[in-house]
Amino acid sequence: MKADSLNILEQPTAEAVHFGDAELATAIRRRVGLQIFEVRDPGTSAADVFDALAIAFDFPEEFGHNWDALVDSLRDLEREPAMTSFVLLVRDAERFWLQAPRVAAELVETWLSVAEYWRDDGVPFHLVFIW
């Protein structure tokens, strides 16, 4: 994804997973109307990912720390009236994909499932891996 193609982040689309660099992350953070969440180090295990996402999204204490609980929690996000899109930035993505490819793939699969749920409501829901 290039910084000049950020309009897709405002679209409820099946193309909900993207890859980019630090320049893209900066452009996304400057974009008005996006509800941005960020994970700086996703770790190398599913447990690490659940912990990082629980912090980034401020999940309740009773968050179950498993893939089903993640789906439920992401479907239950509060949407700010002025926000048009949900965007999760995952930094240090190259290390994540190299050290935990199965966990990364499961995150993508989970994300796409939730993006489909939000798309049915007309809400853009995007994941951007930052290299």
Side-chain angles (χ1 to χ4, degrees):
M1 172 181 241
K2 300 287 184 191
D4 62 353
S5 62
L6 293 181
N7 289 342
I8 195 166
L9 298 178
E10 297 172 1
Q11 305 299 317
T13 177
E15 298 175 40
V17 177
H18 315 278
F19 297 86
D21 57 15
E23 180 182 328
L24 176 66
T26 300
I28 289 171
R29 291 184 119 312
R30 290 183 179 153
R31 187 88 175 201
V32 175
L34 302 178
Q35 194 163 348
I36 299 170
F37 303 89
E38 191 166 340
V39 170
R40 293 212 172 261
D41 179 8
T44 58
S45 70
D48 292 339
V49 170
F50 300 139
D51 288 344
L53 293 174
I55 292 167
F57 286 97
D58 195 25
F59 290 156
E61 207 172 289
E62 62 271 5
F63 170 62
H65 289 81
N66 60 60
W67 294 110
D68 290 335
L70 180 60
V71 168
D72 292 343
S73 295
L74 291 173
R75 287 180 174 176
D76 197 35
L77 293 174
E78 292 294 321
R79 187 163 173 226
E80 300 285 332
M83 302 298 166
T84 60
S85 304
F86 290 110
V87 178
L88 172 63
L89 298 176
V90 176
R91 295 186 181 269
D92 201 13
E94 183 175 18
R95 184 176 75 85
F96 178 51
W97 277 94
L98 289 172
Q99 294 183 357
R102 288 188 179 131
V103 176
E106 186 71 28
L107 176 59
V108 167
E109 183 178 328
T110 299
W111 196 270
L112 291 173
S113 167
V114 176
E116 182 178 348
Y117 167 85
W118 281 107
R119 187 174 61 243
D120 290 345
D121 287 346
V123 178
F125 195 78
H126 295 272
L127 168 59
V128 182
F129 289 104
I130 301 298
W131 248 233

